[in-house]
Amino acid sequence: MVSNEPMPEVFATSEAQIEVADAHGGAGQHASPELLGLAPYQWVSVAMLVLLLIAFLGAKVHKTVAGGLDAKIKAIKNNLDEAKQLRAEAEALREEYAAKIAGAEKNAEAMLDNARREAEGIVAKAETDTAAMVARRERMAQDKIAAAERTAIDELRTRAAEASTRAAAQLIAANHDAAADRAMADEAIASI
């Protein structure tokens, strides 16, 4: 079934244009296609030039990108090595400080034991010093008391002697007269 309807324009084709040479009466030529004033071989040359430029610049960019990536990789490796070294140093410091802390704890315990011993020694010495001081003070008090007793006894003796001398003087004065004094003086002289 073939329809007699006209074909849509989409499928319509135009006939090739033929230029006829007017002056020479020669054969007709096809019109060469052009785009922006360039013939197809020129477009091929431009495309090849662009392709070569892309390849050349792509190689340069590739080297630049690869060089940049290599530099970053090297920097990262250096950072990793430095981090490993820092970690090793930190571990060594941690172990050193752990040892110091353990040593400090032992030293603190030893110092505490020494302090306790010294405190016990000081308390014992204080007790003996206190006992000796109490004994010294007791002796000093006893010496003061004895001295006071001696002073009191001497004072009493002196008073008693003075009192007996006064009493004897009064008795002699009352019982002796001048004649008795001469007789006693004569006796004393004769005895010498």
Side-chain angles (χ1 to χ4, degrees):
M1 272 199 304
V2 177
S3 81
N4 289 344
E5 293 181 15
M7 291 184 73
E9 288 183 32
V10 176
F11 295 113
T13 60
S14 61
E15 293 184 21
Q17 296 178 356
I18 299 176
E19 286 187 20
V20 178
D22 293 336
H24 298 293
Q29 295 179 342
H30 288 286
S32 61
E34 289 185 0
L35 179 63
L36 300 173
L38 295 177
Y41 73 91
Q42 291 173 330
W43 276 109
V44 169
S45 297
V46 168
M48 287 298 290
L49 180 65
V50 168
L51 184 65
L52 287 173
L53 282 174
I54 289 174
F56 180 71
L57 292 177
K60 292 267 186 186
V61 168
H62 180 269
K63 287 180 183 178
T64 304
V65 169
L69 289 175
D70 288 342
K72 285 206 178 239
I73 288 170
K74 185 177 180 181
I76 290 171
K77 281 183 182 179
N78 290 339
N79 287 341
L80 287 175
D81 291 341
E82 185 178 344
K84 286 178 184 177
Q85 182 181 3
L86 288 175
R87 182 176 182 188
E89 289 175 6
E91 289 289 327
L93 281 175
R94 184 179 63 83
E95 290 174 8
E96 179 182 341
Y97 281 112
K100 283 184 180 181
I101 288 171
E105 288 174 355
K106 289 179 184 177
N107 288 342
E109 289 176 13
M111 289 172 65
L112 186 60
D113 290 341
N114 284 341
R116 283 185 184 141
R117 283 194 300 273
E118 287 178 9
E120 289 170 359
I122 289 171
V123 168
K125 186 175 185 231
E127 287 175 354
T128 57
D129 288 348
T130 303
M133 187 174 67
V134 167
R136 267 195 319 266
R137 296 272 172 113
E138 189 176 311
R139 269 186 268 126
M140 287 171 54
Q142 288 173 354
D143 290 345
K144 283 184 182 181
I145 291 170
E149 285 175 357
R150 282 191 301 271
T151 304
I153 290 171
D154 289 342
E155 191 177 313
L156 282 174
R157 284 183 185 159
T158 305
R159 284 186 184 177
E162 287 175 1
S164 65
T165 305
R166 270 184 278 154
Q170 285 175 357
L171 282 176
I172 291 174
N175 292 332
H176 287 284
D177 55 358
D181 281 340
R182 265 189 226 143
M184 274 173 58
D186 288 339
E187 267 182 48
I189 291 172
S191 65
I192 300 182

